[in-house]
Amino acid sequence: MPPGSERRLRRNNRLIVGTLAALAVLVTAGLVWTSSRLPDTYSVMGMGHAEFGGGPADPVHGGHAGHGWDGPPRQLGDRDVTGLTGPRDRPPDVAVELVAARDGDRYTLNGTTPGPELRVRQGDLVEVTLVNESVPDGVTLHWHGVDVPNAEDGVAGVTQDAVATGGSHTYRFVAEDAGTYWYHSHQVSHAQVRGGLFGTLVVTPPAGEAADHDVVAAMHTYGDGPTVNGRDGLRVDAAPGEAVRLRLVNTDNEVKRAWTADAPVRVLAVDGRAVHEPVPVTDAAVTLPAGGRVDLGFTVPAAGTAVRVELGGVAVVTGPAGAPDPPESEPPAETVDLLHYGTPAPLGFDPDDADRTFEYRIGRRFGLVDGRPGMYWTINGGMVPDVPMFVVSDGDVVRMRIENSGADNHPMHLHGHHAVVLSRDGEPATGSPWVVDSLDVGRDETYEIAFVADNPGIWLDHCHDLSHATAGLVAHLVYSGVYTPFRIGGPGANEPE
Ligand SMILES: [Cu+2]
């Protein structure tokens, strides 16, 4: 062989090897990309991996690892979500129609945002008919903090199909627990909630317990800054000596603080659950996680001055008509620590005798989801769709340790249940039972919570910073034997986050 052709051959070989290597990289990247693609439609029943928390496994949710999750579940459960409804066999005590509409980035219910304030009495059977007039992506209503039966929970693709334009859906539930709640769409919620598709819901206690003034204040940021009930401030006329219950609702994605320099306040309730023996505090703020509620109690000063409750850029002023607005006050350095506020009371169950114990460890890393590279949240090390499905049985006492090692806070919201906070960073709770449905887990914080699994269904357990939820911070709690026929995507174009 002439020396020149040997060189050419070596060159050609190098070229072939180089081409094959480049091809291998491309094919690998392509496979990774393809395997990260989410199916157009899938069931949350089949996604991720089941965790049993030390309790018995369940054949319906038997430890699968994401294989075939775009197909039907391996075995149908004996309890279909659609059967887990509120009472259908008697007339409602309260019937409301809410008509959803979209105009640009703004969403309304019955022409307003927030939607109408719903006030019902404890024990009422509530019927709400949601009509979608003009929201192209479809809508649902989730009753945030109300432990409704699963079929009434309003999560697109999990408990129902999103209501398409021109359609309607009727929700029915008994308002069993007095307290402050809110409702919002759980379809494309990161856009719809921020854009205004929400309202407040108050369940009033039996007569005799009411304050002289019972006021709801929804704290919401639209495109153009903070508002209270959609306005730039709220004024309530109240005489000296009168008692006020101010129900704060944080409908934003960020944690909020509220405070006043004008009167001692008591934290009467958190997330719709009464605080036991709340003491008056001065010079301390209360915090509200995204989605959380706090009821403040105070008395209009005998001197006839007004009380200005600061909500961060907006305020609620309560006082005699004509009394001047108090000046704005600086945020106090102190914050009411609910871990030690109020006094203990029986929980009604023993968290030390748990049937299941789960970890909910939140992290963050680079990855591909649905072919899109980016930073994504992880739960127990897995990235969506490889997130845990926490499996419980009816009546279980459940403990959960929520650990946040990320650089951001996460307002964790468990649907369908209230949980009691046991500890933060190992420090035990010593005050009133601190009962929540929305708990802000700050950066590098760890909380232990416990609850009783007393509401069968399949429930979201997710971050209520809805921009985090869209980036994968969503897991599910499922009861043994429960099955949902609904699917993410599909004919309903369901997209809960
Ligand atoms: Cu978050």
Side-chain angles (χ1 to χ4, degrees):
M1 192 185 285
S5 18
E6 205 175 309
R7 272 204 304 276
R8 264 203 309 280
L9 198 64
R10 276 207 300 272
R11 222 173 23 237
N12 283 347
N13 279 348
R14 274 205 300 273
L15 201 67
I16 289 167
V17 168
T19 307
L20 283 177
L23 205 62
V25 167
L26 277 176
V27 166
T28 307
L31 284 176
V32 168
W33 184 82
T34 305
S35 70
S36 85
R37 293 302 303 271
L38 302 178
D40 289 338
T41 170
Y42 60 91
S43 168
V44 296
M45 303 255 315
M47 73 190 276
H49 59 276
E51 295 190 12
F52 301 101
D58 169 35
V60 178
H61 310 285
H64 47 240
H67 301 298
W69 60 301
D70 49 340
R74 291 196 303 192
Q75 182 190 332
L76 299 189
D78 51 4
R79 285 187 291 181
D80 189 316
V81 160
T82 56
L84 299 170
T85 67
R88 300 266 150 178
D89 54 352
R90 56 185 167 99
D93 300 297
V94 179
V96 183
E97 184 181 78
L98 295 176
V99 179
R102 178 178 176 175
D103 179 15
D105 292 337
R106 206 42 87 97
Y107 295 82
T108 58
L109 286 155
N110 293 3
T112 66
T113 175
E117 176 186 319
L118 305 183
R119 258 183 199 262
V120 304
R121 284 166 310 182
Q122 189 173 12
D124 279 354
L125 174 56
V126 181
E127 179 183 280
V128 176
T129 304
L130 168 66
V131 177
N132 182 358
E133 188 178 88
S134 60
V135 183
D137 287 338
V139 290
T140 67
L141 287 180
H142 166 61
W143 310 94
H144 189 117
V146 187
D147 298 334
V148 297
N150 195 221
E152 318 294 349
D153 199 41
V155 180
V158 180
T159 65
Q160 68 172 96
D161 279 328
V163 180
T165 310
S168 70
H169 184 94
T170 300
Y171 300 90
R172 273 181 161 237
F173 57 86
V174 175
E176 284 176 2
D177 299 296
T180 307
Y181 308 98
W182 62 299
Y183 58 91
H184 63 78
S185 183
H186 227 302
Q187 163 76 352
V188 197
S189 54
H190 70 281
Q192 294 191 4
V193 177
R194 177 134 271 189
L197 221 163
F198 70 93
T200 54
L201 167 64
V202 173
V203 180
T204 56
E209 291 182 24
D212 299 312
H213 300 273
D214 188 313
V215 180
V216 185
M219 305 153 73
H220 194 78
T221 305
Y222 296 91
D224 37 11
T227 65
V228 51
N229 295 350
R231 307 205 300 254
D232 58 7
L234 193 60
R235 171 89 203 197
V236 180
D237 287 343
E242 284 185 330
V244 180
R245 186 182 195 105
L246 179 60
R247 302 172 182 268
L248 303 177
V249 184
N250 182 1
T251 61
D252 272 338
N253 283 334
E254 299 80 24
V255 67
K256 297 282 176 68
R257 295 180 94 217
W259 68 91
T260 181
D262 305 321
V265 295
R266 291 183 302 150
V267 179
L268 301 179
V270 175
D271 284 0
R273 294 295 178 272
V275 171
H276 189 239
E277 298 186 330
V279 292
V281 294
T282 51
D283 292 330
V286 294
T287 55
L288 289 108
R293 290 87 58 214
V294 167
D295 295 10
L296 295 182
F298 58 89
T299 303
V300 179
T305 53
V307 176
R308 180 186 174 96
V309 176
E310 304 284 356
L311 305 179
V314 284
V316 179
V317 176
T318 307
D325 280 10
E328 240 179 86
S329 59
E330 290 299 310
E334 293 287 309
T335 297
V336 176
D337 187 355
L338 295 172
L339 203 60
H340 306 299
Y341 182 74
T343 63
L347 296 179
F349 71 101
D350 182 6
D352 290 329
D353 190 17
D355 300 290
R356 314 231 188 200
T357 302
F358 296 109
E359 298 255 301
Y360 196 127
R361 298 190 314 277
I362 302 165
R364 187 166 165 81
R365 65 178 156 85
F366 183 83
L368 276 178
V369 170
D370 207 13
R372 286 190 291 268
M375 293 298 291
Y376 290 95
W377 303 105
T378 60
I379 305 172
N380 295 353
M383 209 167 61
V384 72
D386 185 26
V387 290
M389 172 76 84
F390 302 110
V391 180
V392 297
S393 306
D394 296 46
D396 279 352
V397 169
V398 182
R399 276 176 91 105
M400 187 177 274
R401 184 175 165 278
I402 310 172
E403 177 191 295
N404 174 14
S405 57
D408 214 339
N409 64 303
H410 299 295
M412 300 309 295
H413 175 48
L414 171 62
H415 287 212
H417 303 75
H418 276 73
V420 64
V421 175
L422 302 176
S423 70
R424 179 184 58 223
D425 297 334
E427 185 183 344
T430 59
S432 161
W434 178 12
V435 181
V436 294
D437 55 66
S438 306
L439 176 66
D440 199 65
V441 182
R443 49 199 293 186
D444 294 322
E445 276 186 344
T446 298
Y447 276 90
E448 269 192 301
I449 62 171
F451 61 93
V452 178
D454 57 2
N455 196 5
I458 175 162
W459 303 98
L460 264 63
D461 187 357
H462 69 110
C463 180
H464 220 280
D465 181 330
L466 298 171
S467 67
H468 293 180
T470 52
L473 201 27
V474 180
H476 299 84
L477 176 80
V478 68
Y479 283 61
S480 285
V482 171
Y483 160 72
T484 178
F486 300 106
R487 301 170 75 82
I488 306 298
N494 297 314
E495 194 187 332
E497 280 78 45

